[in-house]
Amino acid sequence: MTVPKTTVLVLDSAEPERLARFYAELLGATAGPAAGDGELLLVTGRTGAVLGVRRDPDHAPPSWPPPEGSQQAHLHILVAAQCLDEAEREAVALGARPVAAEDDGSRPGSRTTLRRYTDPAGHAFLLAAVGEDLAGL
């Protein structure tokens, strides 16, 4: 029998409350302390914990995209294609900084638009426009 588990991606931040609030508002979720762990804030949505934020007073924002073109770990936030512009306005109003935008037509018959940002602590994330059936929206 496997012990029940779950995973959550944890981001470091010098200002974890601010970063947790940013993602909670962007994702329509809530943020609060993890039970039994005073150092970890959890951003929780309809499906449970979706992201953790931990205080690191020495946090240095990652460089993204790196000059070598290699991708670092980053979040993909799936958005219905017709809502991409609105999602972008929300992200920027909350403090996201645009990095670049591109069209990715790599899959035959599909055209996914990706918009790249950094969050207020410098972590990379994408808004990825997909069909409503894929986004679960």
Side-chain angles (χ1 to χ4, degrees), residues 46-85:
R46 296 177 300 213
T47 60
V50 294
L51 188 64
V53 181
R54 184 185 75 86
R55 182 177 307 283
D56 178 358
D58 299 320
H59 172 72
S63 169
W64 192 76
E68 305 82 40
S70 169
Q71 288 195 15
Q72 298 177 18
H74 59 279
L75 301 173
H76 272 226
I77 299 172
L78 305 180
V79 178
Q82 68 271 21
C83 298
L84 184 61
D85 290 338

Side-chain angles (χ1 to χ4, degrees), residues 2-17:
T2 302
V3 174
K5 301 172 192 72
T6 190
T7 60
V8 63
L9 175 66
V10 177
L11 300 175
D12 290 343
S13 175
E15 300 179 68
E17 295 83 5

Side-chain angles (χ1 to χ4, degrees), residues 13 31 39 53 66 73 81 92 95 98-99 104 112 130-131 136:
S13 175
E39 294 295 314
V53 181
V92 171
V99 176
D104 176 9
T112 303
V130 295

Side-chain angles (χ1 to χ4, degrees), residues 7 26 35 38 62 81 93 95 101 129 133:
T7 60
L26 181 63
D133 56 329

